Amino acid sequence: MRFKWRRSILLLAVILVCIYEITGQSCDGQCGETQGTCSCHATCVSLLTCCGDYRQYCLQISPYSGTMMGGSVFSILNATFYPSKQEQLTCRFRGEIETVGYTDGEGRGYCVSPLLFQSGWLPFDVSTDGRNFNSSGEYLSVHPSKMDAAFKVTLVNSTQWQYYGTPNTAGTLRMTWSPSLIGDKDRVNIELWGYREVNTSTTDTTWEEELPSLRAEWIYLYSLGKGLANSGSFSFTPKSSEKPYSDWEVGSVRVSSSIYSDGARNVKAVWSGAHALAWHLEEAFRQDSAAWALDRCLAWDILEKSLPNFLEEVVDCPCTLAQARADTGRFHTDYGCDMEKGSVCTYHPGSVHCVRAVHASPVYRAGQQCCYDSTGAQVLTGDSIGGSTPDRAHDWGSPPYRDPPRIPSLSHWMYDVLTFYYCCLWSDHCQVYFTHRPSSGCRHYTPPTAGAVLGDPHFLTFDGVRYTFNGKGEYYLVLSPDRGLSVQGRTEQVKLENGTLSKATRLSAVAMRERSSDVIEVRQAEQQNQLEVLRNQQVLSFTEQSWMDLHGVFLYSPTPQNVTVMFSSGVGVEVRGREGGAMAVTVLLPSNYTNLTQGLLGQMNSDPLDDLLTSLGGVVSPDNTSPEEIFTFGASWKTSNETSLFTYDTKYLLDTYYYVKHDPAFVPAFSVSEDPADPLVGDMLKMCFGEGAQFCKYDTLSTRSLVVGNATLLSFKSHQTLMQDLEAVVSCGWLASPRYGEKIGTRYLEGSTVSFTCNSGYVLYGSPERTCLPSGEWTGEEASCISDNVLGVVLGSVFSIATLITMGAMVNLHFRKQKRERQERLDGKVISEQS
């Protein structure tokens, strides 16, 4: 009976495919496209225009993400697959890497992700015969350290693992995992895999000329246990390895079903994070770990001197913690030192929070890390082992990934982390490491400039002009043709609590793109205060991952109310959902956008008088301008169908915005009256005061909602706080401690004072105290400590030299006097003879 049912389903599927092929209305190989009378585009679901076989060929999966190390299993939803007995389901990733999938009794397909060496959304397609891959979808490959701990092998007591074999660190090591990730009834194998990068260049090309040809090797080394019960826990006492295994110093532990052969690739498995394999190294390490590590530290020192100086191209750090957290277009929290997660800063003691530059440097793909202490000051390697350190290989990798030194996490381990173990953790020679990884400081850091849209809607331009524009339509918030940036806003009429429409509008969506990046749209979700994010007109889910690497842009959404967009140029766009259904948008522009912007947020050039530039080139004065004139100015910045970045995936959006970009029939209330008899006014006046009160009052009265007015006020105050955090700070640069002395103070910003003292037996020469001036220069002279004995010798020498000089001068004067007297006698004699 079951066989007949499956045969009937298969026959029906074949008939449907034949019908679709005859009529030409099939999604076979056409996902993302629009057919004649139906669609294979993601918007077809909400528009109810999908071709009949859309879900069979345009695949949705669950879970949609997994570690880039591979071994994650996902099911294919709403599609069925029935390979013949001689064939199997094959899943192909990135058009080149094939893995063996499988189906269950109901025809649901499952794929196993392969090792990918890259993060971000990747295409995959599926075949039942190994030849025709006509069903396709996308899978999110995730940086190993950004995976939730529930989906990894946990190395219990990580400190013991990383120091194993060093003095006073030995014993039993333990790991845990979730048995369900493997299969509760399966027995498991536990394996060690190693990673390294090999130079495959056949010429003498150096890094100075271009990135060398490197190959990543991810190799099965040996098993720690076979056929073990899948209990979710395993303990062992490690033994030192012999060559060639001991040559592998970075790797991960893998747990997989024992049905697979040793080292089988691309099978269902769960991985630990990459780590330094102290517990596996050769016996020489255990005999004298400090000497072993020092040898490697010094060898790395020689190698590093032969490589190009990447420090010249990494960006400077923000001067303060407040700046670092506010500059969200260029810097993001380092997951290894996060104050919101307890400030567990293993590699940066003394720091409470670190950030990383989001984007790798332009040539060598290097990274920047900036760490701060509890006072908000930057921690520098010149003062502390916990200081900020730049990275030759960016921890988060660099597009297009896949090859060293661009591989997320692993390349960083090879160039920057393992070497830190050599010089700092396993031996006491951090000065060698910090010679090549010194903190960058912040003397050349320039904060971004912020503009904002909030409430119903009110605009705060880059140059500080404040105005209200209540148009209904789609408009340019920021347009920069020179930089290829377009940020657009969509506004809608506000619906009152009684169901009627008010004479005010609010921001309901924002869409953006920079050059050839993915198009990102953030809009109000159906749930109040929550946001929905679309990438290239397809809705994204953040239920599994809060960070996504996309094409030319990164996304971060820790909650449904917060979305941060980071473009490759350093432009940041923050979108926040507020109570009452309002959206607040902040655009952060780096200084290289100066004089290159236009739109509703104005020209960024520190001149507020030209901010209200119309699309036709006219300028409206921000002073003494009527609301009607402002309205005309705003309407001039409407988009067009050719330039719009928005998605029209409902009948309402098509009817309201697709054909009309600015609704000329809608006339807003340009002002509202504060009627003392209005029961809302009393509470409003108690709430709306101080800066931003004008916006708060307008929104409260125009929407008849204290909640909306309060949300506007909160958004305004948040913007004011952001502006304060981004204020420019003058840095005078790091000062060294004098040799044989001490420096008191590690803050190097304007107004800071640093003092110097000398050890016993030494005398201070130079300034005992130096203050950072607004000019960026230090007062006083460099401080040095000179030994009392040396000083005595120097002073004695100086006195002796002075005495000799004095004596010499006296002798010289004596001889000159004698010479003059002889000349006078001679002259007198000559005169007497002549007379």
Side-chain angles (χ1 to χ4, degrees), residues 211-494:
L211 291 177
S213 177
L214 300 173
R215 183 183 70 246
E217 292 187 349
W218 185 248
I219 302 295
Y220 162 75
L221 299 181
Y222 54 82
S223 294
L224 300 174
K226 297 183 181 181
L228 306 174
N230 184 17
S231 64
S233 178
F234 175 70
S235 298
F236 71 108
T237 301
K239 299 179 180 179
S240 56
S241 299
E242 297 181 356
K243 290 184 179 298
Y245 300 117
S246 61
D247 291 335
W248 298 79
E249 298 172 3
V250 172
S252 294
V253 173
R254 186 181 83 167
V255 180
S256 61
S257 173
S258 59
I259 64 173
Y260 304 118
S261 59
D262 294 349
R265 291 182 176 270
N266 302 330
V267 298
K268 185 177 182 180
V270 57
W271 295 89
S272 75
H275 60 283
L277 303 178
W279 54 273
H280 136 101
L281 296 176
E282 61 186 332
E283 183 62 26
F285 176 78
R286 299 192 182 186
Q287 294 298 321
D288 191 341
S289 57
W292 184 96
L294 176 58
D295 286 344
R296 279 159 175 74
C297 176
L298 297 178
W300 171 75
D301 177 45
I302 295 172
L303 172 64
E304 193 70 17
K305 290 175 180 176
S306 69
L307 300 179
N309 182 10
F310 72 93
L311 299 174
E312 296 177 351
E313 66 168 8
V314 294
V315 297
D316 260 21
C317 287
C319 290
T320 66
L321 177 58
Q323 286 180 334
R325 302 191 73 192
D327 191 353
T328 53
R330 294 182 288 183
F331 296 91
H332 186 76
T333 298
D334 181 351
Y335 48 79
C337 182
D338 183 356
M339 63 190 306
E340 295 182 1
K341 296 183 179 178
S343 296
V344 181
C345 305
T346 302
Y347 300 111
H348 297 278
S351 299
V352 299
H353 193 77
C354 295
V355 298
R356 289 190 181 276
V358 173
H359 311 284
S361 65
V363 177
Y364 301 116
R365 322 315 295 175
Q368 178 64 286
Q369 183 193 52
C370 312
C371 297
Y372 303 86
D373 63 20
S374 57
T375 70
Q378 189 184 0
V379 183
L380 303 177
T381 52
D383 298 322
S384 167
I385 190 177
S388 315
T389 53
D391 302 314
R392 184 171 290 281
H394 198 299
D395 183 20
W396 302 338
S398 174
Y401 309 105
R402 301 172 63 173
D403 296 311
R406 302 171 181 264
I407 296 176
S409 180
L410 297 175
S411 289
H412 176 57
W413 263 97
M414 298 303 299
Y415 289 101
D416 304 293
V417 184
L418 184 61
T419 51
F420 184 76
Y421 277 79
Y422 291 157
C423 301
C424 298
L425 299 186
W426 294 340
S427 74
D428 188 20
H429 293 82
C430 257
Q431 73 279 5
V432 177
Y433 186 84
F434 290 146
T435 298
H436 302 291
R437 299 292 186 272
S439 299
S440 297
C442 69
R443 296 195 72 179
H444 303 292
Y445 171 75
T446 302
T449 302
V453 186
L454 50 91
D456 290 345
H458 311 290
F459 295 79
L460 310 174
T461 72
F462 296 116
D463 293 341
V465 174
R466 303 174 186 177
Y467 70 92
T468 298
F469 168 61
N470 261 295
K472 177 187 175 184
E474 295 174 353
Y475 309 93
Y476 289 106
L477 302 182
V478 182
L479 179 63
S480 179
D482 295 277
R483 307 288 297 182
L485 176 68
S486 178
V487 182
Q488 304 172 7
R490 173 189 286 162
T491 60
E492 66 179 8
Q493 274 185 270
V494 176

Side-chain angles (χ1 to χ4, degrees), residues 456 492-496 500-506 702-703:
D456 290 345
E492 66 179 8
Q493 274 185 270
V494 176
K495 183 178 289 187
L496 303 179
T500 61
L501 294 175
S502 76
K503 284 293 186 177
T505 59
R506 66 182 178 190
S702 64
T703 64

